[in-house]
Amino acid sequence: MIDYNVDSDGIATITWNVVNRPMNVMNADSNAAFAAAVKKAVADANVRGVIVASARKEFIAGADLAIILAVETVEESMALTDQISRLLRDIELSGKPFVAAINGVALGGGFEICLACHCRIAADSPHVQVGLPEVTLGLLPAAGGTQRLPRLIGIKNSLPYLLEGKKAGVRDALKLGMIDKVVPAGELLVQAKNWIMAQDGGPAIKPWDAKGFTVPGGKPQTPANQALFMGANAMLLSKTQGLYPAPEAILACVYDGCQGSIDAGLGIEQRHFARLATSVTTRNMIQSLFYSMGDANRLASRPKDVPPSDYKKLGVLGAGMMGAGIAYTAAQSGLEVVLLDTTVEAASKGKGYSAALLEGSVKKGRMSTDKAETILRLITPTANYNDLAECDFIIEAVFEDRAVKAEVLKKIEAVIPNTTVIATNTSTLPVTSLAEYVSRPQDFIGLHFFSPVERMPLLEVIKGKKTSPQTIAKGLDMAKRLRKTPIVVEDCRSFYCNRAFALFVYEALIMLKEGVAPALIENATRQTGLPMPPLALVDEVSVELLYKATKAAMDDLGDQYKPQPQDEVLTKFVEELGRLGKKVGKGFYDYEGGKKKLWSGLSEVYPVAAEQPTVEEIKTRILFVQAVEAARCVEEGIVAPKDADVGSILGWGFPVAYGGAISLIDTVGAAKFAAECDRLADAYGERFLPPPQLRDIAAKGQRYIR
Ligand code: NAD
């Protein structure tokens, strides 16, 4: 786990080699072994200096999050951080020179070990990245990161790394002073040793332990830093709506901690960490972003006995907005793509989308011209079905029209091998019904991408009634190849994400109809942490699209369709007012000269009621209506609870502070949530009624997750 070796010159090398985990991680065992090695080296009079190194590809990837989730009380948290904090102080105060030989990623606790060493030497390799990404999981670096980094590189330079979890490659890290030296990878250990040998034999001392130390760039209350803190506070609050305590705690650690000694600062850091580690927000973030999303990315729900697929050529039917995005994403992952549309011109226009994006990357210096050309060459535009003959996977993304889809599905089946999987990117038509147009429904699946495809990480993998487990495995393999996070969803109208998301925006339309002031709806929703207020969002996706989806549901379901309160609003805006959304410059907002403002005529169409609900009531309605629909999807077996969380976060930006649409119920407590839903159902309608499974979970005092 931790290897220890002393050479004939008295150089001890402590090598991290946590073989029983996929990466070098800091947990109870590895920390204890590291502490023992440090103690041994410090106590050994023959040891003149210590190299901290790694035997694996990474240096140290950070702390094992399981040890943080296991912490339940402030006391447990303090005990945990106290141990590591003391150990790192022992290194600093040992008098012996410690040097970190950084061969790969050194993140979180891994970089904090480096910061405690007297010198940091990194291999000149693109694999080396240093940083403190704790904030992205609702935490703060609790092994001295908030104290040592500002003391090393100054408050101004450290804040982006602490508040945004930014990572630095060797060049940036060297420029800022996060590391001291970059050397050829093969010379890393030799150079680390040379550095120790070059020390004069006097006690090694950290800058902040030397007399007269001042923080580079000055203390927090210098005028420049003061302005920095004021700006950062305001920016944070507008970004987080006060929902995420970690960045605020980090700012407090830096401000208060940099006033006095490093030891006092470390104490402040530990206390703030304890508050975060035991907070529901942080636990939600770790569970959903690390564990649930990790499971999805590892394809945990992939049928196990199916051998992995190796794809070479993807056929994309339809080179419109979605097809063009899918083609770009696939080519980026190295797949050959045949992009088919009704004419070669239309298909080439779809390829042009990739050309434009690649050109942008080259211009910004993110990609070489050679690489961009190689990627672009992978896409072949065509109108000839025979060009699809060698494709081992097909994704159809033609118009959302049953007849058009039926026609293209028939045509491709005639040319592709009978082993090729056919996927549809339909957003509303049940996959099972489209499977009727192919002769191998077992090889037919839904892959529901989100727009813009190249930026949205989520992929819903939809199982039709007859889709075989092999095909599900192959669909998940394609998701992985395209670097998407897949969730497996059973077939139903609108699948999972669009179904639950629609209820969110419809709730806003219903409020509008009730006479709730539009600005109140928008601003209260912003405070829930959702990325965009609902009326603006409806304009963005287009009022007409939601109107058409409703019409399609009416046509498909006939007498079975249950009229919904928002139907009237959509009809009025499309049929009577022609306010179709942003694309025509008018919807719930007016769009003029690149600016938008709520349409002044709204109150004539839906007069504002004399009595307005509280902000809290609007927030509750907006969040609960999504969560209760997610619970319905879980009960119907459409999606698993963890996938429901992942889908809500990645699909429509459900605030991760609550852990996702299902974890919100656990956060509130199922019993309290169900009771609140009953109240909302009485007041506003049966869409809030808790499904029986939720009542059952509430009655038994259980949770959906953990
Ligand atoms: P689009 O109108 O931009 O593109 C459709 C393309 O299909 C057009 O280029 C059209 O020329 C082509 N096409 C039409 N008939 C064809 C035929 N017979 N043979 C070959 N090509 C044909 O539409 P889009 O937004 O890209 O949507 C495509 C599909 O993806 C739809 O099923 C839609 O529901 C689904 N989808 C859309 C979104 C979205 O946000 N737009 C999101 C997820 C899924």
Side-chain angles (χ1 to χ4, degrees), residues 260-299:
S261 73
I262 180 99
D263 290 306
L266 292 171
I268 290 170
E269 180 186 87
Q270 280 182 29
R271 287 195 288 282
H272 278 290
F273 179 79
R275 192 166 55 83
L276 293 182
T278 52
S279 80
V280 179
T281 305
T282 303
R283 300 174 92 75
N284 278 340
M285 288 173 77
I286 294 177
Q287 172 60 47
S288 297
L289 296 179
F290 189 76
Y291 289 106
S292 301
M293 220 172 267
D295 282 353
N297 284 326
R298 268 193 303 280
L299 311 186

Side-chain angles (χ1 to χ4, degrees), residues 317-318 320 341-342 396-405 426 429:
L317 310 184
D341 209 294
T342 42
E396 91 50 35
V398 297
F399 292 146
E400 188 74 341
D401 179 311
R402 214 170 251 293
V404 179
K405 296 215 188 266
T426 178
L429 303 167

Side-chain angles (χ1 to χ4, degrees), residues 114-198:
C114 302
L115 289 172
C117 289
H118 301 88
C119 175
R120 287 155 294 282
I121 301 183
D124 191 0
S125 152
H127 297 303
V128 174
Q129 272 193 326
V130 298
L132 300 167
E134 284 84 347
V135 69
T136 59
L137 290 175
L139 290 166
L140 58 78
T146 67
Q147 301 306 305
R148 292 192 176 93
L149 193 61
R151 281 174 171 81
L152 187 69
I153 64 173
I155 290 171
K156 183 170 173 230
N157 286 339
S158 68
L159 285 186
Y161 290 91
L162 290 165
L163 291 177
E164 296 161 27
K166 232 176 107 171
K167 297 168 191 163
V170 282
R171 300 282 154 241
D172 288 340
L174 185 66
K175 204 159 83 196
L176 285 175
M178 294 166 91
I179 55 176
D180 301 296
K181 202 171 175 184
V182 178
V183 301
E187 293 174 21
L188 185 60
L189 292 179
V190 175
Q191 297 267 13
K193 178 172 172 171
N194 289 349
W195 179 81
I196 295 174
M197 300 300 278

Side-chain angles (χ1 to χ4, degrees), residues 2 70 138 184 186 207 210 229 286-287 408 434 488 534 565 604 620 689 694 696:
I2 302 285
F229 279 102
I286 294 177
Q287 172 60 47
V408 298
L434 292 177
V488 177
E604 277 159 41
T620 306
L689 271 183
L694 170 54
D696 192 43

Side-chain angles (χ1 to χ4, degrees), residues 303-620:
K304 300 279 175 283
D305 47 358
V306 184
S309 331
D310 179 22
Y311 297 118
K312 290 201 168 55
K313 205 172 200 177
L314 172 69
V316 179
L317 310 184
M321 188 165 100
M322 298 305 286
I326 295 167
Y328 172 73
T329 307
Q332 279 252 328
S333 80
L335 279 173
E336 281 179 65
V337 182
V338 180
L339 182 57
L340 178 138
D341 209 294
T342 42
T343 61
V344 177
E345 291 71 35
S348 301
K349 193 170 160 225
K351 180 174 175 174
Y353 183 72
S354 292
L357 287 175
L358 290 164
E359 197 185 313
S361 297
V362 171
K363 271 200 184 124
K364 285 183 194 132
R366 292 197 194 126
M367 192 182 281
S368 68
T369 311
D370 270 5
K371 176 135 195 237
E373 281 171 1
T374 309
I375 293 173
L376 198 58
R377 265 200 302 276
L378 288 170
I379 305 175
T380 309
T382 185
N384 183 351
Y385 278 77
N386 290 327
D387 290 341
L388 297 160
E390 284 167 16
C391 289
D392 38 30
F393 204 105
I394 298 284
I395 301 174
E396 91 50 35
V398 297
F399 292 146
E400 188 74 341
D401 179 311
R402 214 170 251 293
V404 179
K405 296 215 188 266
E407 181 202 319
V408 298
L409 290 174
K410 267 218 164 61
K411 281 186 180 164
I412 32 167
E413 268 219 296
V415 292
I416 54 174
N418 64 8
T419 48
T420 298
V421 171
I422 307 171
T424 172
N425 179 42
T426 178
S427 37
T428 53
L429 303 167
V431 168
T432 306
S433 69
L434 292 177
E436 285 171 17
Y437 305 129
V438 296
S439 63
R440 296 179 285 121
Q442 69 277 14
D443 298 336
F444 190 77
I445 196 167
L447 287 188
H448 183 226
F449 290 84
F450 292 75
S451 172
V453 178
E454 66 282 2
R455 285 218 302 273
M456 293 293 281
L458 186 69
L459 184 61
E460 284 185 300
V461 175
I462 320 284
K463 276 157 88 172
K465 267 214 176 67
K466 294 188 178 159
T467 308
S468 71
Q470 283 78 1
T471 304
I472 293 162
K474 289 178 181 179
L476 287 167
D477 290 343
M478 179 51 81
K480 188 167 185 173
R481 179 69 199 255
L482 300 179
R483 301 186 195 115
K484 297 293 174 197
T485 301
I487 59 170
V488 177
V489 176
E490 292 286 335
D491 198 15
C492 72
R493 182 163 291 279
S494 299
F495 316 127
Y496 163 62
C497 286
N498 282 353
R499 179 173 152 180
F501 161 79
L503 261 88
F504 150 46
V505 289
Y506 290 159
E507 196 59 26
L509 302 189
I510 297 167
M511 286 187 207
L512 190 69
K513 206 171 130 185
E514 288 168 3
V516 181
L520 184 57
I521 299 172
E522 298 292 81
N523 288 328
T525 303
R526 229 181 240 118
Q527 290 182 27
T528 64
L530 280 153
M532 204 181 209
L535 299 177
L537 194 52
V538 175
D539 272 1
E540 199 74 34
V541 295
S542 114
V543 190
E544 191 187 22
L545 191 89
L546 296 183
Y547 165 82
K548 279 189 177 165
T550 306
K551 276 262 177 246
M554 285 176 182
D555 290 348
D556 261 19
L557 295 173
D559 292 348
Q560 307 268 335
Y561 183 80
K562 270 208 245 124
Q564 300 296 320
Q566 73 278 359
D567 295 352
E568 179 214 300
V569 183
L570 292 170
T571 307
K572 193 182 279 291
F573 268 69
V574 173
E575 291 182 8
E576 284 178 33
L577 302 167
R579 300 189 70 92
L580 309 183
K582 189 178 170 185
K583 63 178 181 181
V584 297
K586 52 183 190 174
F588 295 99
Y589 284 74
D590 272 325
Y591 300 82
E592 268 167 35
K595 289 209 171 119
K596 71 169 193 234
K597 68 174 196 312
L598 276 163
W599 175 41
S600 55
L602 263 181
S603 58
E604 277 159 41
V605 185
Y606 294 110
V608 174
E611 206 171 312
Q612 291 292 307
T614 62
V615 168
E616 274 317 304
E617 181 75 348
I618 296 175
K619 283 165 68 179
T620 306

